[in-house]
Amino acid sequence: MFYENASVSERLTMPPAVAVSTVAFALTPPEDATVDPSAPAGAGQTTLWIPLVRRTRAPFLDRWALPGGPTHWNETLTDTALRTLQDAALRAPGYLEQLYSFGGVERSAQAQRLVTIAYWALFGERDLTAPAVPVSTSGAPSGGARWDDVVPPRSPRIDEGNDPSSGTDRNVAWFSADRLPDLAFDHGDIVDTALARLRSKTEYSAVAHRFLGPEFTLGQLRAVHEAVRGQAVDPANFRRQALAQGNLVDTGRCETGTRHRPARLYRFASDPALEPTTPDPSSTGSKP
């Protein structure tokens, strides 16, 4: 039974609809991605980037929102997060973790209660250079069901600004995490929560490991720290502190193909790890 067909008494006892939204971070947007046109030249050197999808229906018509959608009957929540994120970014993230549940009584644009399970993801260097993945064709559930804070599935309609021949979609763009537009619904709160989770990590090496390739320069490592913190750090101090921690190994090689003096390449002494992909329910927070 769908909400719009239910009586008043039936609506009071109907369970909430469940959707998934994902905040995905990258150091730079993919080369073939549409980037926020309002971003000034040279922006993003000390920031993270997030893919957003433009809504194509009311409410919040033309407002930007996080990739997401309803979870299907034959999907896990993680499956839904991966599917909807890949539909938007055309790439699979290197890391995905459940963040919080958002289930305020008034957060949905329609009367039916809506609970969104939020995820956060990281796109590493290798993830962004991998070939684009096909867009899923699963779409919304059959029978006319719809949730108002669900981002519509990607569409090949030319009149919506899409160009199927090039694989691009003007309804998907990457924005600096520090220069986001006003987002639909409470998606701004979801982004703030994800940023706080990422920036609270004490082991930045684990985060850097997800963003960088197997070998990297100290300048690239510093760029990760600056992007996560949202502020520049002194290069000399960073170099001294990074080497003093003892978790970097000098490979004895230098980067190639650069116009300036090649920098030395390092790797991590061990594989730093973030939390498990599926966190312990006891450690998973929720927001009303």
Side-chain angles (χ1 to χ4, degrees), residues 21-149:
S21 293
T22 304
V23 185
F25 299 110
L27 287 183
T28 58
E31 291 185 358
D32 58 353
T34 300
V35 179
D36 172 20
S38 66
Q45 298 303 309
T46 57
T47 188
L48 297 167
W49 291 83
I50 298 174
L52 298 176
V53 182
R54 193 200 321 268
R55 286 185 55 82
T56 57
R57 66 164 180 253
F60 300 105
L61 177 65
D62 290 331
R63 290 272 288 274
W64 294 94
L66 293 169
T71 184
H72 296 178
W73 68 271
N74 60 344
E75 285 183 325
T76 65
L77 294 172
T78 301
D79 288 340
T80 304
L82 285 172
R83 171 177 58 82
T84 54
L85 180 57
Q86 288 182 180
D87 279 359
L90 296 181
R91 288 163 177 84
Y95 183 79
L96 181 72
E97 179 188 339
Q98 192 174 122
L99 178 65
Y100 275 110
S101 59
F102 293 77
V105 175
E106 303 298 333
R107 68 179 302 270
S108 177
Q110 65 182 34
Q112 184 179 11
R113 183 78 176 274
L114 177 66
V115 173
T116 290
I117 309 301
Y119 280 75
W120 69 291
L122 300 180
F123 281 105
E125 180 182 279
R126 288 170 291 185
D127 306 321
L128 295 179
T129 56
V133 298
V135 176
S136 69
T137 58
S138 54
S142 61
R146 60 186 294 265
W147 288 264
D148 276 337
D149 91 339

Side-chain angles (χ1 to χ4, degrees), residues 1-15 110-112:
M1 178 184 297
F2 296 118
Y3 185 84
E4 55 267 27
N5 298 327
S7 66
V8 173
S9 59
E10 289 171 332
R11 291 180 179 183
L12 293 176
T13 58
M14 288 182 67
Q110 65 182 34
Q112 184 179 11

Side-chain angles (χ1 to χ4, degrees), residues 222 226 233-240:
R222 188 180 76 251
E226 291 179 334
V233 298
D234 179 74
N237 287 339
F238 178 83
R239 176 185 178 85
R240 182 172 58 255

